[in-house]
Amino acid sequence: MRVLMTGLGDIAHKAYLPVLSALPQIELHLATRNQPVLEEAGRRFRVAGLHASLAAALATGHFDAAFVHAATDAHPALVRTLLERRIPSFVDKPLAADLDEVERLVTLADRQETLLTIGFNRRFAPSHVALTGLQADLIVMEKHRHRQPDVPRRVIYDDFIHVIDTLLFLAPGPVQRQSIETRVERDMLISVTLVLAGEGFTAIGTMHRNSGLNEERLDVIGNGRRHSVLNMADEICMDGRECRQRRGDWATVGRQRGFEAMCLDFLTGVEERRPTDSGDILATHRLCEAITVHAETFRSRVMTGSQQSVIE
């Protein structure tokens, strides 16, 4: 299988190149305009197929699949180019930071009958997968940052999107109601809370951008038990007593955080000619847009001292 990776930033080096460069069944190619980074990645991961741009790579022949790890603003143009050539594409979250663009790309993938996948690694992390199917009626996910207020759209689409997608992934049934709370100061998003509810369950996601620590916690509660995952490493189960478990000493970060399984699942989907899961992609990005609009609306009204909530 001939596979192209375009964009060689931090996430590509930490999460994807260690996984893909170790797979014997693929012929990996790399593309970036940054020549020093391209040459260093080729040496470090023993990749011979190096290209100065996506266009230069595509000129060498057809690729069976592509991974896009460029900056978010570059996603739409890169993904569109790949989909127009019917090349199955895996893209870092978000697909785009604009809902209209997301919908256009998903429509294109469906029209081209070409697999489009978004990199939501928590869906494949062993600690999170183990929580699916539990008899739980309350799901709570917290993801906080230390002194990192930022503009709402960037916070929601680049970071809080993981919280949104994890809640949708673990929800035991269809979401029937949602509510949003945001706090904005000096045009910067300070905190956000999302509540999703359906038949017999409530899922709550929250993020504070001026917290005391960078941290992530997931709790699944119900049926006399509480299962917790801390920073995607420590697992705690409580059912009248507490049991703690930490990832094995020899477990790689790529495996523990779901990147290995996610990459393999995408490549399997390519081989099986799996269709794009349009519903999942759109549900997550539509919630991103709803929260962003809420925060931007609150920002425009903050001088009046009002704060909004949205209930549907």
Side-chain angles (χ1 to χ4, degrees), residues 246-252:
R246 184 170 173 78
R247 70 180 177 92
D249 293 339
W250 295 99
T252 64

mmCIF file of all heavy atoms in Angstrom, residues 246-252:
data_model
loop_
_atom_site.group_PDB
_atom_site.id
_atom_site.type_symbol
_atom_site.label_atom_id
_atom_site.label_comp_id
_atom_site.label_asym_id
_atom_site.label_seq_id
_atom_site.Cartn_x
_atom_site.Cartn_y
_atom_site.Cartn_z
ATOM 1 N N ARG A 246 -2.426 1.634 36.357
ATOM 2 C CA ARG A 246 -1.708 2.536 35.473
ATOM 3 C C ARG A 246 -1.232 1.757 34.263
ATOM 4 O O ARG A 246 -1.002 0.543 34.352
ATOM 5 C CB ARG A 246 -0.510 3.180 36.195
ATOM 6 C CG ARG A 246 0.236 4.209 35.345
ATOM 7 C CD ARG A 246 1.249 4.994 36.156
ATOM 8 N NE ARG A 246 2.059 5.861 35.303
ATOM 9 C CZ ARG A 246 1.654 7.010 34.819
ATOM 10 N NH1 ARG A 246 0.448 7.454 35.105
ATOM 11 N NH2 ARG A 246 2.447 7.754 34.050
ATOM 12 N N ARG A 247 -1.080 2.462 33.144
ATOM 13 C CA ARG A 247 -0.647 1.782 31.927
ATOM 14 C C ARG A 247 0.654 1.032 32.173
ATOM 15 O O ARG A 247 1.497 1.446 32.965
ATOM 16 C CB ARG A 247 -0.467 2.776 30.770
ATOM 17 C CG ARG A 247 0.701 3.729 30.887
ATOM 18 C CD ARG A 247 0.735 4.647 29.671
ATOM 19 N NE ARG A 247 1.787 5.649 29.747
ATOM 20 C CZ ARG A 247 3.015 5.478 29.254
ATOM 21 N NH1 ARG A 247 3.347 4.340 28.674
ATOM 22 N NH2 ARG A 247 3.915 6.434 29.347
ATOM 23 N N GLY A 248 0.816 -0.088 31.496
ATOM 24 C CA GLY A 248 2.001 -0.911 31.669
ATOM 25 C C GLY A 248 3.276 -0.174 31.337
ATOM 26 O O GLY A 248 3.302 0.718 30.482
ATOM 27 N N ASP A 249 4.352 -0.545 31.992
ATOM 28 C CA ASP A 249 5.628 0.131 31.790
ATOM 29 C C ASP A 249 6.102 0.052 30.343
ATOM 30 O O ASP A 249 6.840 0.920 29.875
ATOM 31 C CB ASP A 249 6.693 -0.469 32.715
ATOM 32 C CG ASP A 249 6.424 -0.180 34.180
ATOM 33 O OD1 ASP A 249 5.687 0.783 34.458
ATOM 34 O OD2 ASP A 249 6.936 -0.909 35.046
ATOM 35 N N TRP A 250 5.710 -1.018 29.637
ATOM 36 C CA TRP A 250 6.190 -1.214 28.277
ATOM 37 C C TRP A 250 5.180 -0.767 27.222
ATOM 38 O O TRP A 250 5.433 -0.899 26.023
ATOM 39 C CB TRP A 250 6.545 -2.684 28.052
ATOM 40 C CG TRP A 250 7.695 -3.116 28.915
ATOM 41 C CD1 TRP A 250 7.638 -3.791 30.103
ATOM 42 C CD2 TRP A 250 9.079 -2.864 28.668
ATOM 43 N NE1 TRP A 250 8.888 -3.988 30.607
ATOM 44 C CE2 TRP A 250 9.804 -3.443 29.748
ATOM 45 C CE3 TRP A 250 9.786 -2.229 27.651
ATOM 46 C CZ2 TRP A 250 11.187 -3.390 29.837
ATOM 47 C CZ3 TRP A 250 11.162 -2.169 27.726
ATOM 48 C CH2 TRP A 250 11.856 -2.736 28.806
ATOM 49 N N ALA A 251 4.047 -0.247 27.660
ATOM 50 C CA ALA A 251 3.044 0.234 26.706
ATOM 51 C C ALA A 251 3.514 1.555 26.096
ATOM 52 O O ALA A 251 3.871 2.490 26.813
ATOM 53 C CB ALA A 251 1.706 0.433 27.401
ATOM 54 N N THR A 252 3.524 1.629 24.780
ATOM 55 C CA THR A 252 3.962 2.854 24.113
ATOM 56 C C THR A 252 2.883 3.923 24.232
ATOM 57 O O THR A 252 1.694 3.631 24.413
ATOM 58 C CB THR A 252 4.246 2.597 22.631
ATOM 59 O OG1 THR A 252 3.018 2.220 21.985
ATOM 60 C CG2 THR A 252 5.287 1.494 22.454
#
